[in-house]
Every structure is written in structure tokens, then in C-alpha cells.
Amino acid sequence: MAVDQNGRPIRAIIRVGTTEDGCQAESLRPGIQAQYLLADKVYDSQAILQTAHQAEILSVIAPETDRKYQRNDNQD
């Protein structure tokens, strides 16, 4: 679900079954101008972080504890 700066929903994707939430992240973003990406650690993937960084969106995502390579959050 994508929300505005006040936490009000602006876009949602509802899937049947047990589809992982993280794989839906890119489908939520088109057409939405954002400064921040606040997400649960299920969204801690290199692809999501890189896409946000390229779009100059500051991502605030807790790292997965079993991440093979721990990330450096200093993306500057």
C-alpha cells in the first residue's frame, strides 16, 4: 500500500494467496512523486533500495537479519 504524507492510502495492490509483499513494491510507485520510502524489512532488497536511490528517494527500511551482505545505509 502506498500512502500520502498523512498516512492516507493512495494506492493498494491486493493479491490472492500468499504472494510476498516485497515483490509488489515496484508496482506501487509509478506516477507517485515521493521523497521518502518507509517500509518494513520485507522490502529490504538491493533492487528496491537501488531504485529508490536512483529516484533520489530516501529509503528508511530495517535490514533483514539474515541478509547475506549487510548494507551500508550511508548512500551519499
Side-chain angles (χ1 to χ4, degrees):
M1 179 178 301
V3 299
D4 67 11
Q5 66 271 16
N6 297 311
R8 295 180 300 226
I10 56 174
R11 184 172 295 151
I13 298 173
I14 300 170
R15 302 286 305 225
V16 175
T18 59
T19 304
E20 181 183 333
D21 290 343
C23 67
Q24 302 302 313
E26 280 302 308
S27 301
L28 289 169
R29 198 176 71 73
I32 296 176
Q33 297 296 320
Q35 294 177 340
Y36 302 98
L37 169 61
L38 306 174
D40 188 76
K41 64 183 175 181
V42 72
Y43 295 94
D44 178 30
S45 78
Q46 202 57 38
I48 292 171
L49 293 166
Q50 184 175 0
T51 300
H53 183 71
Q54 289 173 343
E56 298 181 0
I57 298 171
L58 178 63
S59 54
V60 181
I61 302 173
E64 286 277 4
T65 54
D66 62 348
R67 199 177 223 282
K68 186 173 182 177
Y69 301 104
Q70 289 302 317
R71 64 178 206 252
N72 179 3
D73 286 332
N74 299 324
Q75 297 179 9
D76 296 329

